[in-house]
Amino acid sequence: MSVNDTAAALPAANGGALPIGGGLPSNLLLRFSAAALLWFAASGVTALWPDAADAQEWERTGEFASLLVVAAGLLVLATLLTTGIRPAPRGRLEAAIASLSASVPWLIALALGVTGWEILTAKLNLLPRPFFVPPQALLEVYLDDWPRLLDCFAASLRLLVTGYAVGSVLGVVTGVAIGWSRAVGYWVHPILRLIGPLPATAWLPIAFFAFPTSWSASVFLIALASGVPVTVLTWSGVAGVNSAYYDIARTLGASQRFLVLKVAVPAAMPHVFVGLFMGLGASFAVLVVAEMLGVKSGVGWYLQWAQGWAAYGNMYAALLVMALLCSGLVTLLFRVRDRLLAWQKGMLKW
Amino acid sequence: MVALENTDTAGMTIDVQAVSHSFELHGAPLPVLDGVELRVEPGELVALLGPSGCGKSTLLRLVAGLEPPSRGSILADGRPIDGPDPSRVVVFQDPTLYPWRTVRDNVALGLEARGLLRSQGHRIDKALALVGLTGFEKAYPHQLSGGMAQRAALARALVNDPRLLILDEPLGKLDSLTRLAMQSELVELWRSKGFTGLLVTHDIEEALFMATRVIVFSGRPARIKADLPIDRPYPRHRGDPVLTDLRHRILELLGLAETW
């Protein structure tokens, strides 16, 4: 047979080309220099401008200024390297610099923001204390209290991952079961309808009472919060599978097991990932509440504890850690999805 | 389970005995097949022609074993059909490739479902070569043109060495040039493999160009109106005057003679 009806031919297999093939902005040198200069300025303001006389002297001001100098220095280095990579970037380091150049506006805005923050808090003391702290207060927390923060980070991660994993696995299994078996659907659907919309945190009082430890109670709550959306979306995914997919597999000799695992589940995967994403968001909320009210460790607990001592620097530091944790996990989930659902995309990398 | 290394690849005999079938529609039965009697001998390629929606595709689903008939019985090689079997494979109008599998993994579906992937995997490449898709193993369905996707669907069927190939308007959605090319290709495949073929089509010329027999159905509920042997050698020619006469005859049977 001929294959001259290749109207939708395969993408060219030159996967080696860099995505920034369009070339670098012409004023790259200028942009990097401007950013570097602003970071130097931020450092200068921090180190040389004396702190407001009517407030405490902040520790770690010198260290913070040094950090800013390092950032500025790295930008200078990048600036020097950019001069060497015209006209077209080659190699990994140069590609990294090229992608960094896309962030130059952000680097400039960050430098301006840090400088403004520094001036408003430490230098002029214009914002109400103790609620607002200068950036070096956060650095102080990271330098002095890092063992406890790290501990809390690990505890939060462990709790979240345990609860989320239990909830997701049970959610997928339940969703497939409801979508597949009429009997399971008959019994589980009404329960899901009644309990599903209830926020998992509403179970908090009874959960802490009913479970042996506050940790296991929290795992239950996080699993519940993440499991419900995963169940509903998996179910709808399985229910929406093109029935011709089953006909094809049946005529080719597929067993029920094959139909579930190799047809229904992969076909429902795009839905499952929507559920996983929703469940992850719900699990963050429950994590923080559970740690604030019951569990004696974790970033949520740290936030509560810092607030109790009016240690607002610690609180901001913990909030930042929390934000990185949540955002990192969402990013990870998207990476996994992109990998597993590569077949969905119009453009495929291989 | 059917022997896989059936080197003779003999076609299957299909015996449709007094089959009637109806669907439930708004609580009332909707008859789609009415007393259909049809015997298909091994190695025949029988085309089923009839008005749109008359029940031809339903008959194919019954032969495939995807549904049991309301009344009557269907025998495959003398044994009643009680479910789908890999010896009777369907190619639908839509290729229905699994979008999450590559072309190769789609073609492997039947072998995988029966746990034969390891021992029989070499047949995948043969099937792909047979339909001219060598080199496209790693492509995903959304990257294929309509014709290529339907070829992949054909390979997915052929890799199982079916003794009956059920073709439900397999070329219905292709552009006319691709369709003409694939008609010849299908005939070649059928002639070299020796399987029995059942082909539902709306295209009279396609039926006459490909089939050994054309069965003309009435409107719903479908009854057999005529059973016309096409006694012409292969490869056939579209301009063959005998086929032209038959075409006229079939148009008359379908109530479209005034268009001649």
Side-chain angles (χ1 to χ4, degrees), chain A residues 1-3 5-11 242 244-255 258 262-263 266-267 343-346 348 350, chain B residues 61 66 84-86 89-90 92 96-100 109-110 112-114 130-132 136 139-140 142-143 145 147-148 151 156 160 178 185:
Chain A
M1 281 193 187
S2 68
V3 261
D5 56 339
T6 56
L10 292 168
N242 183 353
Y245 290 166
Y246 297 129
D247 286 346
I248 287 288
R250 284 173 63 208
T251 60
L252 296 179
S255 60
F258 189 90
K262 300 284 186 153
V263 184
W343 54 268
Q344 264 197 325
K345 286 198 204 159
L348 208 74
W350 68 53
Chain B
R61 287 184 67 83
L66 289 168
D85 188 282
V89 179
V90 192
F92 292 106
T96 54
L97 299 172
Y98 293 175
W100 59 91
L109 198 66
E112 193 182 326
R114 285 178 291 152
L130 207 57
V131 299
F136 289 87
Y140 279 91
H142 71 81
Q143 296 171 306
S145 68
M148 288 165 76
R151 287 195 172 98
R156 178 179 62 189
N160 301 285
T178 309
E185 289 163 8

Side-chain angles (χ1 to χ4, degrees), chain A residues 62-90:
Chain A
E63 283 88 342
F64 185 59
S66 318
L67 200 65
L68 294 173
V69 168
V70 170
L74 285 174
L75 277 168
V76 169
L77 194 67
T79 312
L80 293 176
L81 283 170
T82 53
T83 56
I85 61 171
R86 304 267 190 73
R90 286 194 202 87

Side-chain angles (χ1 to χ4, degrees), chain B residues 3-10 123 126 161 163 192-194:
Chain B
L4 274 158
E5 291 299 330
N6 49 346
T7 39
D8 55 339
T9 59
R123 291 192 353 207
K126 268 194 212 161
D161 263 343
R163 299 183 51 238
S192 64
K193 290 273 174 180

Side-chain angles (χ1 to χ4, degrees), chain A residues 244 248, chain B residues 57 60 90-96 146 149-150 153 156 166-174 179 200 202:
Chain A
I248 287 288
Chain B
S57 294
L60 291 196
V90 192
V91 176
F92 292 106
Q93 183 176 16
D94 286 311
T96 54
Q150 200 54 285
R156 178 179 62 189
I166 301 170
L167 301 159
D168 190 357
E169 291 185 55
L171 312 178
K173 285 201 172 168
L174 303 181
R179 186 183 327 175
V200 159
H202 281 124

Side-chain angles (χ1 to χ4, degrees), chain B residues 181-203:
Chain B
M182 283 193 70
Q183 285 169 0
S184 304
E185 289 163 8
L186 274 172
V187 168
E188 285 289 301
L189 275 172
W190 162 72
R191 290 182 69 203
S192 64
K193 290 273 174 180
F195 50 74
T196 306
L198 266 182
L199 167 75
V200 159
T201 175
H202 281 124
D203 184 340

